[in-house]
Amino acid sequence: MQTKIHSKFTEIFGEGGVQFASAGRINLIGEHTDYNGGYVFPGAIDKGIVAEIKPNGTDTVRLYSLDYDEQTSFGLREEDLPAQQWARYVFGVCRETIKRGGTVKGFDAVFAGDVPLGAGLSSSAALESCFAFALNDLFGNGIDKFELAKIGQSTEHNYCGVKCGIMDQFASVFGKAGSLIRLNCKTLEYKYFPFNPKGYKLVLLDSCVKHELASSAYNKRRASCENAAAAIRRNHPEVEFLSDAKRVWLDEVREQIPEEDFLRAEYVIGEVQRVLDVCDALERGDYETVGEMMYQTHFGLSKLYEVSCEELDFLNKLARRMDVTGSRVMGGGFGGCTINLVKDELYEDFIKAAKKEFAAKFGHEPKVYDVVVSDGARRL
Ligand code: GLA
């Protein structure tokens, strides 16, 4: 990929620039907890974005996407918003850097990626983090890594219409080979956990379902959580985020909020605790507990948070039936992948059965991604 990008860069823009990379992410557990001030437990993966970039001495950004085989250019003022969604991620990163007092001047860039799109692996965060990191480096802005992650998150909020939490961009910037990161999304304290489960594999099964209205449904889930938190706060003013609430405090307001908001909040409060339980279990090498928590998360995401779908429930049920250690829908949901923790000796049979049975029911096989926990944003 690096060679292809370089030859395209020299073909379009002449003399080459500097290459940067960033990564997509997985999340072992802690879903929809980030914007509720709870814990998440992601890691960067060996699939990401590579970009070659060079300042061009003008006020214009010239951008070429190798994957879309499309070129565009835009200025750096708010009104210069490009028409293409893929370019808006980069435009947003430029604007958010400038809003924070950073310098961004015109540059030329060619980029490509190998994070499957719409699979819940955060291809957009990989793109944002790659450019946030690169512009910071090239223009010498000295912005710290937390702020680089927030630049990506604000890009989603202000230029892409998704009110996401910080997890994806954080994982993409802070990712470290071989480690998952437990992040407290309220305080931004984090801890690396070496993750090398001997005798197990982590595999993703991509349902290939893409939900059209995913971003509006996502924002709706967030609004439900904020509504529940606000109701609880009336009795318990110390509740800043939903993750601060005790389960019994939620019960107190059950009659005051829509049933739907109650169910969403019930899921979130349970999930925050599950992340801590999984971290404890990992330190003991207790993968059975890790896996059991993953199944509990799937149940919650499917029945309480309602972000699963028939295809993902099918893959989850199949995993359970085959005694796979852990399985759940991963990421924002509404399609995408399940993440599965599978014993080595079961791996082949599981993949074979998943392909066969899924294809018999839905007419196509799920895609299989083996992932390696890898480094996040960096200069190559
Ligand atoms: C998406 C968002 C994240 C997070 C997850 C769900 O990936 O970008 O901030 O909320 O969904 O855990």
Side-chain angles (χ1 to χ4, degrees):
M1 188 153 74
Q2 283 175 252
T3 323
K4 250 173 104 182
I5 290 173
H6 182 66
S7 50
K8 195 74 195 176
F9 191 98
T10 49
E11 181 194 319
I12 313 178
F13 301 121
E15 200 188 323
V18 182
Q19 291 199 342
F20 295 86
S22 190
R25 62 106 188 86
I26 53 164
N27 184 27
L28 189 63
I29 199 151
E31 222 64 88
H32 291 277
T33 44
D34 56 357
Y35 53 82
N36 285 303
Y39 289 96
V40 293
F41 200 27
I45 55 172
D46 57 336
K47 297 184 190 339
I49 295 278
V50 174
E52 183 156 333
I53 310 181
K54 193 173 156 207
N56 60 20
T58 72
D59 289 330
T60 303
V61 174
R62 296 189 294 176
L63 199 59
Y64 180 85
S65 157
L66 210 57
D67 301 321
Y68 289 116
D69 189 17
E70 257 184 67
Q71 188 173 343
T72 189
S73 58
F74 51 79
L76 290 162
R77 297 161 312 165
E78 196 64 18
E79 57 269 32
D80 296 325
L81 183 76
Q84 300 91 335
Q85 181 56 48
W86 61 266
R88 288 188 178 185
Y89 292 110
V90 178
F91 176 79
V93 167
C94 295
R95 288 297 310 156
E96 291 297 335
T97 302
I98 293 169
K99 284 184 205 168
R100 285 164 175 78
T103 299
V104 180
K105 300 249 169 66
F107 59 86
D108 298 331
V110 172
F111 72 93
D114 58 1
V115 194
L117 299 180
L121 301 180
S122 287
S123 51
S124 59
L127 181 56
E128 290 149 4
S129 309
C130 184
F131 277 85
F133 188 92
L135 300 182
N136 191 42
D137 180 306
L138 289 173
F139 295 106
N141 287 325
I143 298 173
D144 72 32
K145 282 167 89 177
F146 284 115
E147 211 53 40
L148 292 181
K150 288 184 193 163
I151 284 173
Q153 183 192 22
S154 309
T155 295
E156 296 280 349
H157 287 202
N158 299 329
Y159 300 94
C160 309
V162 184
K163 299 283 174 206
C164 66
I166 191 72
M167 170 169 74
D168 303 350
Q169 292 78 10
F170 179 87
S172 187
V173 171
F174 284 80
K176 185 161 108 180
S179 288
L180 297 178
I181 323 166
R182 186 186 67 197
L183 171 69
N184 178 328
C185 298
K186 187 171 161 182
T187 62
L188 293 185
E189 282 167 284
Y190 64 100
K191 182 178 167 192
Y192 289 103
F193 283 70
F195 185 74
N196 182 21
K198 292 237 154 41
Y200 295 84
K201 288 195 198 331
L202 259 192
V203 62
L204 306 180
L205 294 180
D206 185 355
S207 65
C208 303
V209 174
K210 295 182 177 49
H211 195 298
E212 289 276 298
L213 298 172
S215 51
S216 61
Y218 181 94
N219 294 346
K220 208 169 155 223
R221 296 298 181 286
R222 183 172 182 151
S224 283
C225 293
E226 284 167 1
N227 190 31
I232 298 170
R233 194 175 302 125
R234 286 197 281 274
N235 298 337
H236 304 279
E238 66 269 41
V239 171
E240 189 185 347
F241 292 99
L242 185 53
S243 64
D244 300 323
K246 296 191 174 124
R247 176 53 216 266
V248 285
W249 296 354
L250 174 63
D251 291 333
E252 291 167 7
V253 299
R254 184 165 196 159
E255 304 306 320
Q256 298 159 32
I257 57 176
E259 179 67 4
E260 194 176 274
D261 295 359
F262 176 85
L263 296 176
R264 309 298 189 236
E266 183 184 5
Y267 160 76
V268 169
I269 292 172
E271 181 72 353
V272 171
Q273 184 56 43
R274 277 191 290 274
V275 183
L276 297 176
D277 293 347
V278 159
C279 291
D280 286 349
L282 267 187
E283 282 182 325
R284 296 192 305 269
D286 174 2
Y287 293 103
E288 290 307 314
T289 299
V290 173
E292 195 44 47
M293 292 293 156
M294 291 169 74
Y295 280 110
Q296 284 185 23
T297 295
H298 185 86
F299 175 85
L301 286 170
S302 177
K303 302 289 181 279
L304 306 174
Y305 220 66
E306 297 182 276
V307 295
S308 186
C309 61
E310 198 192 343
E311 289 83 350
L312 291 166
D313 286 346
F314 182 89
L315 288 171
N316 179 263
K317 240 193 214 143
L318 185 126
R320 184 62 121 177
R321 200 193 74 219
M322 292 192 71
D323 280 333
V324 167
T325 307
S327 175
R328 65 177 193 81
V329 48
M330 191 185 73
F334 313 107
C337 293
T338 58
I339 177 169
N340 304 275
L341 182 64
V342 195
K343 286 206 172 102
D344 285 342
E345 60 269 26
L346 194 63
Y347 180 82
E348 300 243 315
D349 286 350
F350 173 54
I351 299 299
K352 224 162 102 191
K355 283 184 171 172
K356 194 168 153 219
E357 294 185 30
F358 191 91
K361 176 133 176 97
F362 299 107
H364 64 91
E365 289 186 352
K367 291 193 182 135
V368 181
Y369 312 126
D370 294 301
V371 285
V372 179
V373 179
S374 303
D375 286 327
R378 64 205 180 274
R379 188 178 175 130
L380 294 174

